[in-house]
Amino acid sequence: MHPRSSLVAAAAVASLALTACSSGSDGDASPSATDASGPAASQSAASAQECLPVPGDQLVVLEDDMALQNSDNIIPALNKDVATQDVLDVLAAVSGALDTPSLIELNKSVDIDRQTSEEVAEAWLDQAALGIAETGDDSTIVVGAANFSENITLAEIYADALDAAGYETDVREIGNRETYLPALESGEIDIVPEYAATFAEFLDGDVENTVASGDIAETVAALTPLAEARGLVVGQPADAQDQNAFAVTQGFVDQYGVTTLSELAASCGGIVLGGPPECPERPFCQPGLEDTYGIEVAEFRSLDAGGPLTKNAITTGEIALGLVFSSDGALATS
């Protein structure tokens, strides 16, 4: 088993949760909105039916079928000195088994069911049955984690998988990216679970230039040289994504027959939207819905960034559509 220790970080004040999950919170790094005269916008929402909010307990994310959001897939980031092919293969096995529904269930187990990240990681790895060969050399690998539950659980999964391969591991909870990145570059920690698009934008550092996209292959192609320039290596991305998403209730889906944002634009006019206060100005939020999809927003309610206010407003019927995070445990159907 890997021992848990803590890395004291005086600078770790701000949570990474919004940064990791929202490219827009990292300097508005999101795809440019398409021209409003494009195919999506040409479908006049003004003539569509008014789709009122439908209360209900089950949240459903509408598919982002035109890739408004950047691809924030889970991806391991490694110091180059530990990035042997054997270690990369172990982490690739984890990535190959980790999809968004699995990540939602992991988050539900920790955030809602109140299990520990260690317990949840161990159970997931047993269920995944990755068949990891014991090829490690007993060397110690330090896996860092940002200080929010999802990232801690992912770090525990990485550590358990490396344990199974024959390495000694140590999981250290750290602060935000500004705190753990120098530790990763220096070799104080060896591996961190990252979010591909947000990490690429952070390393690029140019708020006027978006290097990530809604295509994970393109995002990784942009991220790889940026990481290499810092002495880092990125592994295989998982299908699992933690990024901005827009949710309705299952009752809304059943009543109006929409499962994608394009279908919402074609079928519904005058939507009541809820989200963080900056949503009306951020390209990944209201402007993106309007310009990329042609969705007509009749009213915006200022709430929070994928938090309890927004989720409660959706389920109680205060709003029809709300910004959430795609891996939120509240999206679990079980």
Side-chain angles (χ1 to χ4, degrees):
M1 295 297 291
H2 48 277
R4 172 175 298 284
S5 59
S6 60
L7 181 63
V8 177
V13 178
S15 169
L16 180 63
L18 181 57
T19 304
C21 304
S22 169
S23 298
S25 65
D26 247 9
D28 285 346
S30 58
S32 298
T34 57
D35 190 280
S37 62
S42 65
Q43 301 178 37
S44 176
S47 61
Q49 63 180 320
E50 182 181 10
C51 294
L52 298 174
V54 178
D57 293 333
Q58 181 60 56
L59 295 174
V60 177
V61 165
L62 297 182
E63 181 187 349
D64 181 16
D65 52 314
M66 295 182 68
L68 170 63
Q69 308 300 333
N70 285 335
S71 48
D72 251 338
N73 297 56
I74 307 301
I75 191 168
L78 304 84
N79 181 286
K80 63 179 177 60
D81 292 337
V82 79
T84 65
Q85 190 59 55
D86 185 59
V87 169
L88 288 169
D89 286 345
V90 172
L91 298 176
V94 172
S95 290
L98 189 62
D99 57 14
T100 302
S102 298
L103 189 56
I104 289 171
E105 290 294 335
L106 289 168
N107 287 333
K108 175 181 179 292
S109 296
V110 175
D111 298 334
I112 298 175
D113 300 338
R114 299 303 178 187
Q115 299 179 48
T116 68
S117 288
E118 295 97 319
E119 293 168 342
V120 171
E122 185 176 358
W124 182 86
L125 203 67
D126 287 343
Q127 184 179 21
L130 302 182
I132 296 172
E134 192 169 344
T135 55
D137 57 7
D138 293 324
S139 59
T140 298
I141 296 176
V142 180
V143 183
N147 56 349
F148 62 98
S149 60
E150 175 182 282
N151 205 258
I152 295 167
T153 302
L154 291 168
E156 294 285 354
I157 289 174
Y158 285 177
D160 283 349
L162 291 164
D163 280 343
Y167 297 93
E168 296 293 325
T169 60
D170 179 12
V171 175
R172 300 185 184 180
E173 297 177 31
I174 318 174
N176 59 12
R177 189 174 284 109
E178 288 83 357
T179 302
Y180 69 66
L181 183 58
L184 184 63
E185 291 174 329
S186 70
E188 185 176 358
I189 58 176
D190 298 308
I191 302 169
V192 172
E194 262 294 356
Y195 301 84
T198 303
F199 194 38
E201 298 298 343
F202 185 91
L203 293 180
D204 180 60
D206 184 356
V207 298
E208 301 298 327
N209 176 42
T210 299
V211 297
S213 79
D215 184 311
I216 185 57
E218 292 179 2
T219 296
V220 172
L223 170 59
T224 299
L226 293 169
E228 289 175 349
R230 308 285 284 264
L232 306 177
V233 174
V234 291
Q236 177 181 313
D239 286 340
Q241 297 177 321
D242 183 351
Q243 59 195 44
N244 296 308
F246 291 94
V248 297
T249 63
Q250 183 63 56
F252 187 96
V253 170
D254 295 340
Q255 182 163 331
Y256 298 112
V258 297
T259 58
T260 70
L261 290 172
S262 289
E263 291 173 349
L264 181 70
S267 301
C268 295
I271 287 293
V272 180
L273 170 69
E278 64 271 20
C279 179
E281 286 78 44
R282 293 291 174 91
F284 72 86
C285 205
Q286 183 174 340
L289 293 175
E290 293 172 334
D291 297 339
T292 299
Y293 284 101
I295 292 173
E296 179 191 357
V297 177
E299 181 183 354
F300 172 74
R301 302 280 179 88
S302 180
L303 299 166
D304 54 13
L309 295 179
T310 298
K311 289 180 284 189
N312 183 68
I314 300 169
T315 58
T316 60
E318 178 186 344
I319 61 175
L321 184 71
L323 186 141
V324 300
F325 297 135
S326 63
S327 64
D328 195 316
L331 297 170
T333 57
S334 60

